[in-house]
């Protein structure tokens, strides 16, 4: 059995970066969620479902794939799609190929709701993220976020 190595604790500087990163991302998500709820009546998670469907061929995706794209559990996604169905923004039907799965499809009303809410949402993303950074910082953030995503994927075995 290999020897247990002591955990290398974060330095004071690393701890500051970590906590600032957590606060910034949580605050941004919470702000965007509050704005979408106030302006469009939906949480950011529902908006992301509408976006994912709008960007898919035919405006539809299998539920399992939609959960993956939205980084949501299958049960959480199912609940969200049920709510979007109650608004008339999404419909769900059995798959054509095997009948075991289901497909979520963006309705015309859902596309209209997305088109109505997108300008405000994109404006907030721009104001809170891109307008706050220089071109060099945006380029650095691009590299940093890709490196983080790749490191997590490698650790998670994805």
């Amino acid at each position: 059995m290999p020897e247990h190595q002591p955990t290398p604790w974060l330095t004071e500087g690393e701890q500051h970066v970590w906590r600032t990163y957590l606060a910034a991302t949580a605050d941004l998500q919470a702000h965007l969620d509050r704005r979408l709820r106030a302006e469009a009546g939906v949480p950011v998670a529902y908006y992301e479902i509408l976006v994912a469907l709008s960007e898919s061929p035919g405006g539809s995706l299998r539920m399992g794939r939609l959960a993956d794209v939205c980084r949501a559990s299958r049960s959480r996604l199912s609940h969200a799609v049920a709510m979007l169905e109650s608004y008339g923004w999404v419909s769900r039907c059995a798959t054509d190929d095997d009948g075991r799965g289901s497909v979520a499809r963006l309705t015309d009303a859902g596309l209209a709701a997305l088109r109505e809410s997108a300008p405000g949402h994109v404006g907030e993303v721009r104001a809170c993220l891109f307008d706050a950074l220089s071109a060099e910082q945006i380029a650095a953030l691009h590299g940093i976020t890709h490196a983080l995503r790749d490191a997590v994927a490698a650790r998670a075995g994805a």
Side-chain angles (χ1 to χ4, degrees), residues 1-36:
M1 179 172 242
E3 280 187 44
H4 176 38
Q5 298 293 322
T7 300
W9 297 109
L10 299 179
T11 66
E12 186 175 327
E14 290 169 336
Q15 187 69 251
H16 178 74
V17 169
W18 171 239
R19 289 188 178 167
T20 303
Y21 166 80
L22 287 177
T25 56
D27 290 351
L28 178 59
Q29 279 296 105
H31 173 71
L32 294 173
D33 189 72
R34 280 190 303 275
R35 290 291 298 253
L36 271 171

Side-chain angles (χ1 to χ4, degrees), residues 64-76:
R65 178 68 185 133
L66 183 57
D68 293 343
V69 168
C70 293
R71 292 176 176 81
S73 69
R74 304 245 187 310
S75 62
R76 186 174 301 245

Side-chain angles (χ1 to χ4, degrees), residues 23-100:
T25 56
D27 290 351
L28 178 59
Q29 279 296 105
H31 173 71
L32 294 173
D33 189 72
R34 280 190 303 275
R35 290 291 298 253
L36 271 171
R37 286 175 187 270
E39 294 174 5
V42 297
V44 74
Y46 292 10
Y47 178 87
E48 290 173 356
I49 292 168
L50 297 176
V51 168
L53 291 173
S54 75
E55 294 173 345
S56 299
S60 63
L61 281 171
R62 285 184 72 112
M63 290 289 287
R65 178 68 185 133
L66 183 57
D68 293 343
V69 168
C70 293
R71 292 176 176 81
S73 69
R74 304 245 187 310
S75 62
R76 186 174 301 245
L77 180 81
S78 182
H79 173 74
V81 169
M83 289 301 297
L84 291 169
E85 280 182 296
S86 75
Y87 300 157
W89 294 354
V90 171
S91 64
R92 198 173 357 188
C93 60
T95 59
D96 292 334
D97 54 345
D98 63 14
R100 293 183 308 179

Side-chain angles (χ1 to χ4, degrees), residues 93-124:
C93 60
T95 59
D96 292 334
D97 54 345
D98 63 14
R100 293 183 308 179
S102 60
V103 171
R105 182 169 286 114
L106 185 64
T107 65
D108 291 341
L111 183 58
L114 179 60
R115 285 181 175 153
E116 185 176 324
S117 60
H121 179 69
V122 171
E124 281 304 302

